[in-house]
Amino acid sequence: MTGKPIDTRGALHFRFRGRDVALDRFSPRATVLDWLREDALAKGTKEGCGEGDCGACTVVLARLKDGPLRYDAVNACILLVGQLDGAELITIEDLADGEVLHPVQQAMVDLHGSQCGFCTPGIVMSLFAAYHSGAPATPASLNDQLAGNLCRCTGYRPILAAGLAACDGAAADRFAATADERTAALAALADGRDLFVGDETRFFAAPASLDSLAALTGRFPDATLVAGATDVGLWITKQLRDIARVIWLGRVAGLDAVGKAADGALSLGAGVALLETAPLLARIHPDLGELMRRFGSVQVRTSGTVGGNIANGSPIGDLAPALIALGGRVVLRKGAATRTLPLEDFFIAYGKQDRAPGEFVLAVEVPQLREGQHCRAFKISKRLDEDISAVMLGARIDLEGRRIAGARIAYGGMAATPKRAANAERALAGASLDEPETWAAALAALASDFTPLTDQRATAAYRVAAARSVLRKTLIEIAGAAAPTRIGALHAAE
Ligand SMILES: Cc1cc2nc3c(=O)[nH]c(=O)nc-3n(C[C@H](O)[C@H](O)[C@H](O)COP(=O)(O)OP(=O)(O)OC[C@H]3O[C@@H](n4cnc5c(N)ncnc54)[C@H](O)[C@@H]3O)c2cc1C
Ligand code: FES
Ligand code: FES
């Protein structure tokens, strides 16, 4: 095959229905849902929205990652077939053992968890992932697990009851019984070789190392980088874009590393799944953990990555404002060279980032809070779960005693890029936590910092009002006032 580097595997390998599947020919833009329904004729997995929102297409990927098999619920409608490499694909048809329903299925029957049933396969697959999570389900964990599964007719009470009844933390199904042999089968697929299926004009490539990735992006600087495909999948299903050359980052060893930068900052590799970031960021501040819990759904956070959320340059991405406020940095690599820049400088204009052709995001670095530094994050959206922000605030307030010595205030949803509120920051310097009237100039300055748009999520006037409100709440909380500032008791004490 032309264009295929030496010692590269030319076929995709994954497990399905107890056997190895090898594909040496498939469209780089084909989704797992297309493959299931059109090629494998496995039509139990449903298509609802085709954009990651409804969960009807939920399947489970059993994967190896530092320890026992993981069972990850993902949206098949926006997952590319190539992203199956090295995984076992489990669908609704696989759960029953002959005539005997899986415990999750039986609980859904017994507790009346299904009416029209269109959403049911996806809900069962999300519960199946919870069944294999290794921990007993709680109402809160199931609310999270099912936030990406919409059911319009049953109502969630019986579905939650079924989940609580079935998911007791002790998996005892035929998947548990065959875990050792299935683990060995997956380990045999992890060959550490680069994958390249197709030719120079149309391919799906999955480099296995950072050097291979750097070489490939140098050779094909205009190829589409795909990490979790929770954005790119929609280019395919909603914008019907032809994506001919794909470089998938999901097999690159080390791109999902979590570590410490020289100054102690938390370093998150670009390939770290959003789901993994919640506990890590929560250690910096609980608001950041809660922000990540409210990011999309479990399915979206399982596939979506840190690098994808930064590199997409979205003005309404949730990570950027929070990390800019903390003084976050982005690390980029092109060829053998790396460079680091303040995250805010990465976003130049709408759709334009400081990233050269062939360059990729390697990591983001998140400084720890120092003595006297306080942080807050507020996400304003129409629904609490699985909704895109209308306005997102990340703020760091630096105190000297009760006086504000400095502030970093960054918003999403207020401009064409995630952006700092320079005028408000200046106006806050010198203000006192004990004299709310000294905050007024900063709150007023937000109107000069931003001229937001009116769109389907919010009007411009609403955005300015909400931006002011969350900044005021930030100051009220840091001042220590007892006034209620949050919906519910979501905010853990500092
Ligand atoms: C249902 C749903 C809900 C969502 N909810 C939220 C939400 O609450 N908050 C939010 O912020 N976003 C949300 N998103 C958007 C999306 O999930 C995030 O932006 C996610 O972080 C994208 O990551 P990814 O790995 O899937 O990126 P991909 O889709 O794989 O890629 C996105 C872009 O980044 C580029 N890219 C990816 N990785 C790199 C890299 N390492 N270097 C250079 N370029 C790279 C790709 O080429 C592409 O242009 C949602 C999406 C869906 C479908
Ligand atoms: S079809 Fe709705 S999430 Fe996939
Ligand atoms: S049972 Fe009908 S949508 Fe859930």
Side-chain angles (χ1 to χ4, degrees), residues 70 256 269-278 292 301-306:
R70 299 164 45 131
D256 60 352
V272 174
L274 294 162
L275 197 73
E276 315 288 334
T277 62
M292 296 318 290
R301 301 197 292 277
T302 297
S303 294
T305 63
V306 169

Side-chain angles (χ1 to χ4, degrees), residues 51-53 78 224-235 249 255 270 274 294-297 300 303-309 311-312 316-319 355 359-362 379 386-388:
E51 57 182 52
D53 263 317
I78 50 170
T224 303
L225 297 184
V226 172
T230 61
D231 284 323
V232 174
L234 275 69
W235 303 352
L249 308 177
L255 195 62
L274 294 162
R294 287 184 53 204
F295 191 121
S297 59
V300 168
S303 294
T305 63
V306 169
N309 199 232
N312 69 8
I316 47 174
D318 281 335
L319 267 181
R355 187 164 73 83
E359 197 168 37
F360 58 89
V361 176
L362 188 61
K379 171 169 175 164
E386 180 145 58
D387 202 0
I388 302 282

Side-chain angles (χ1 to χ4, degrees), residues 237-324:
T237 60
K238 296 291 144 177
Q239 299 171 7
L240 308 181
R241 276 202 228 171
D242 185 22
I243 297 177
R245 301 197 280 188
V246 167
I247 300 176
W248 178 45
L249 308 177
R251 291 181 69 243
V252 179
L255 195 62
D256 60 352
V258 174
K260 261 191 186 172
D263 64 350
L266 169 68
S267 170
L268 295 171
V272 174
L274 294 162
L275 197 73
E276 315 288 334
T277 62
L280 299 167
L281 290 171
R283 267 181 234 146
I284 295 180
H285 192 276
D287 270 11
L288 304 176
E290 175 62 7
L291 175 69
M292 296 318 290
R293 192 193 67 75
R294 287 184 53 204
F295 191 121
S297 59
V298 164
Q299 292 95 318
V300 168
R301 301 197 292 277
T302 297
S303 294
T305 63
V306 169
N309 199 232
I310 298 301
N312 69 8
S314 169
I316 47 174
D318 281 335
L319 267 181
L323 302 192
I324 288 173

Side-chain angles (χ1 to χ4, degrees), residues 113-120 123 150-154:
S114 175
Q115 285 187 34
C116 83
F118 194 82
C119 65
T120 307
I123 286 175
L150 300 187
C151 174
R152 291 185 298 168
C153 26
T154 302

Side-chain angles (χ1 to χ4, degrees), residues 122-202:
I123 286 175
V124 168
M125 293 313 291
S126 279
L127 291 178
F128 172 70
Y131 179 84
H132 279 280
S133 68
T138 62
S141 73
L142 285 179
N143 273 334
D144 258 1
Q145 186 74 26
L146 294 171
N149 289 92
L150 300 187
C151 174
R152 291 185 298 168
C153 26
T154 302
Y156 285 88
R157 192 197 51 73
I159 297 171
L160 290 172
L164 286 171
C167 305
D168 59 5
D173 57 3
R174 68 193 176 86
F175 293 90
T178 55
D180 286 349
E181 63 228 54
R182 291 171 38 250
T183 299
L186 288 182
L189 296 187
D191 59 4
R193 293 166 75 197
D194 295 340
L195 169 71
F196 192 101
V197 184
D199 59 32
E200 288 195 0
T201 59
R202 206 168 175 82

